Amino acid sequence: MSAKPAFTRAEPDARRLSLIEACARVLARDGVAGVSVRAIALEAGVSPGLVGHYFAGVDALVAETYAHVEAQVSAAIDAALALAGPDPRARLDAYVTASFRPPVASGELLATWIAFWSLVRSRPDIARQHDEQYAFFRARLAGLLGDCGVPQAQLRYAAITLTALIDGLWLELCLSPQAFSAAEAIEIAQAALDTVISKGR
Amino acid sequence: MSAKPAFTRAEPDARRLSLIEACARVLARDGVAGVSVRAIALEAGVSPGLVGHYFAGVDALVAETYAHVEAQVSAAIDAALALAGPDPRARLDAYVTASFRPPVASGELLATWIAFWSLVRSRPDIARQHDEQYAFFRARLAGLLGDCGVPQAQLRYAAITLTALIDGLWLELCLSPQAFSAAEAIEIAQAALDTVISKGR
DNA sequence: TTGCTTGTTGGACGTTCGTACAACAAGTGC
DNA sequence: GCACTTGTTGTACGAACGTCCAACAAGCAA
């Protein structure tokens, strides 16, 4: 008679991933306040002790969850870029459009971002992770802008400007979706693109 | 022989205010994770039970702290506007400049904002408070823009755009002050002002 | 001075937290 | 089939949490 196994032994990487995904779900459902070792273990269908076996603490797990979710966001944007083809301006438009549609713009994602932001000020390692992430955001956008003819000397300002604008629109859109629509956010961001690109010519 | 009083009885409004200020200090020092009834009471030099006597819970206290801190921010901006005199464009410049200098742009303030944001998704009353607050932000900016000649038909988009840009710059400036400087943020925001205003003419 | 109102205290209570660890069992190599 | 490694469990522990409330005392009215 074969009894059901008491647990299944997973590949370490797979188990880490399942815990990270469980953390993302808890953040999406209950926000920062709902995150705890036990809640995450319960969500992952795993005993509480296992969380400590893979992560130094909740903070570290949140930081890795942010990195994982951010990688998904980047993948979604890269997919949109690939779909847009080679035309530089079409690629920028695709970047903007993808930024304000699911899965990038969503209240569930916002919870992960906020949880991560709340750690930046007190944890130097997480501050560094944040800096690297946003430097990457700006660098990717600067590349797209350069392809559209924005001169090198203006790339830094242009990238900071558009990253901040998109970030601000994204944040307010996720926090209160009824203040303005995703379509309006796209329209606004593309108008800003027009200005930045035409100025550079 | 007059012994030292065991406690001093305060005006209800004054006591509420001291608790709100203590909450703001705890948020600034320890972030969202450090906020608890006991920590706030200790910071205010008051017994833990008193917090429950004035506020329904930590969430309500955080919401009122946000409102209070936001009122200080608005007061700082209004003071900058008053100092700028009557010229519409000078007033807009003052608005932007004040937005990126202390006390508006500061990591301590950010902690209060993040704590508040973390409550928006799960608490409908706090979501409403947020919506009203940002509607006010946009309305004030729309007023200043209208004084600069931006036509009525474009006021809504212009206000959304500039609020989002300033918000995004402010957020990234507070999170990682070394990515770009306050002076650069001011320069960027004023360039955006130029564009929006000249487009309207 | 006396009595009343009520802001305030401080601790009890049950819950939940993160951590640690001994025991267990799944999978692997031999 | 056996021993070994180690991923996994489940619990115990102390600390910290929010809530509650009886007792206390400051300040006011009479």
Side-chain angles (χ1 to χ4, degrees):
Chain A
M1 191 161 74
S2 68
K4 190 169 64 177
F7 60 89
T8 58
R9 182 172 296 228
E11 284 284 315
D13 286 351
R15 185 66 85 185
R16 286 178 66 87
L17 183 61
S18 79
L19 286 171
I20 285 171
E21 289 174 339
C23 179
R25 287 196 297 276
V26 172
L27 277 169
R29 192 200 324 126
D30 305 322
V32 194
V35 176
S36 70
V37 169
R38 291 163 204 267
I40 294 165
L42 180 68
E43 176 69 32
V46 131
S47 90
L50 200 60
V51 176
H53 191 262
Y54 281 101
F55 299 95
V58 172
D59 289 3
L61 178 48
V62 167
E64 295 216 30
T65 301
Y66 172 82
H68 176 251
V69 167
E70 192 288 322
Q72 291 182 316
V73 165
S74 270
I77 288 180
D78 286 340
L81 289 180
L83 211 66
D87 178 59
R89 180 54 204 258
R91 291 172 69 80
L92 263 180
D93 283 345
Y95 180 96
V96 165
T97 303
S99 296
F100 297 113
R101 298 220 182 277
V104 179
S106 89
E108 290 90 35
L109 268 198
L110 179 63
T112 299
W113 249 253
I114 288 176
F116 182 78
W117 286 340
S118 73
L119 301 175
V120 167
R121 282 200 74 236
S122 51
R123 298 268 311 248
D125 54 331
I126 292 183
R128 189 159 33 80
Q129 181 180 346
H130 169 265
D131 291 350
E132 290 169 3
Q133 189 54 61
Y134 271 70
F136 168 75
F137 281 157
R138 282 188 279 265
R140 176 166 55 179
L141 194 50
L144 294 174
L145 288 167
D147 294 342
C148 277
V150 175
Q152 182 72 25
Q154 298 179 14
L155 271 187
R156 174 179 149 79
Y157 269 38
I160 293 175
T161 302
L162 288 169
T163 301
L165 176 64
I166 292 172
D167 236 45
L169 287 170
W170 174 84
L171 176 63
E172 292 172 29
L173 188 63
C174 291
L175 277 175
S176 55
Q178 74 281 6
F180 53 88
S181 68
E184 289 178 309
I186 292 170
E187 199 174 330
I188 286 173
Q190 290 187 338
L193 281 182
D194 288 335
T195 303
V196 167
I197 292 173
S198 66
K199 254 201 215 156
R201 282 200 177 127
Chain B
M1 195 159 70
S2 68
K4 192 168 61 177
F7 60 89
T8 59
R9 182 174 295 228
E11 284 283 315
D13 286 351
R15 185 66 85 186
R16 285 178 68 87
L17 183 61
S18 79
L19 286 171
I20 285 172
E21 290 174 338
C23 180
R25 286 195 299 273
V26 171
L27 278 169
R29 191 202 322 128
D30 305 321
V32 194
V35 176
S36 71
V37 169
R38 291 164 204 269
I40 293 166
L42 181 67
E43 176 70 31
V46 132
S47 90
L50 199 59
V51 176
H53 191 262
Y54 280 101
F55 299 95
V58 173
D59 289 3
L61 178 47
V62 167
E64 295 217 30
T65 301
Y66 172 82
H68 176 251
V69 167
E70 192 288 322
Q72 290 182 318
V73 166
S74 270
I77 289 181
D78 285 340
L81 289 181
L83 212 64
D87 178 60
R89 179 55 203 257
R91 291 171 69 81
L92 262 181
D93 284 345
Y95 180 96
V96 165
T97 303
S99 295
F100 297 113
R101 300 221 181 276
V104 178
S106 90
E108 290 90 32
L109 268 199
L110 179 63
T112 299
W113 250 253
I114 289 177
F116 183 77
W117 285 341
S118 73
L119 301 175
V120 168
R121 282 200 72 236
S122 51
R123 298 269 310 248
D125 54 331
I126 292 183
R128 189 158 35 80
Q129 181 179 346
H130 169 266
D131 291 350
E132 290 169 3
Q133 190 55 59
Y134 271 70
F136 168 74
F137 282 157
R138 282 188 279 265
R140 176 165 56 179
L141 194 49
L144 294 173
L145 289 166
D147 295 341
C148 277
V150 174
Q152 182 72 24
Q154 298 180 14
L155 270 188
R156 173 180 151 80
Y157 269 37
I160 293 175
T161 303
L162 288 170
T163 301
L165 176 63
I166 292 172
D167 236 43
L169 289 169
W170 175 84
L171 176 63
E172 293 171 30
L173 187 63
C174 291
L175 278 175
S176 54
Q178 74 281 6
F180 53 86
S181 67
E184 288 178 309
I186 291 171
E187 199 173 331
I188 286 173
Q190 290 187 338
L193 280 182
D194 289 335
T195 302
V196 168
I197 292 174
S198 66
K199 255 202 216 157
R201 283 199 176 126

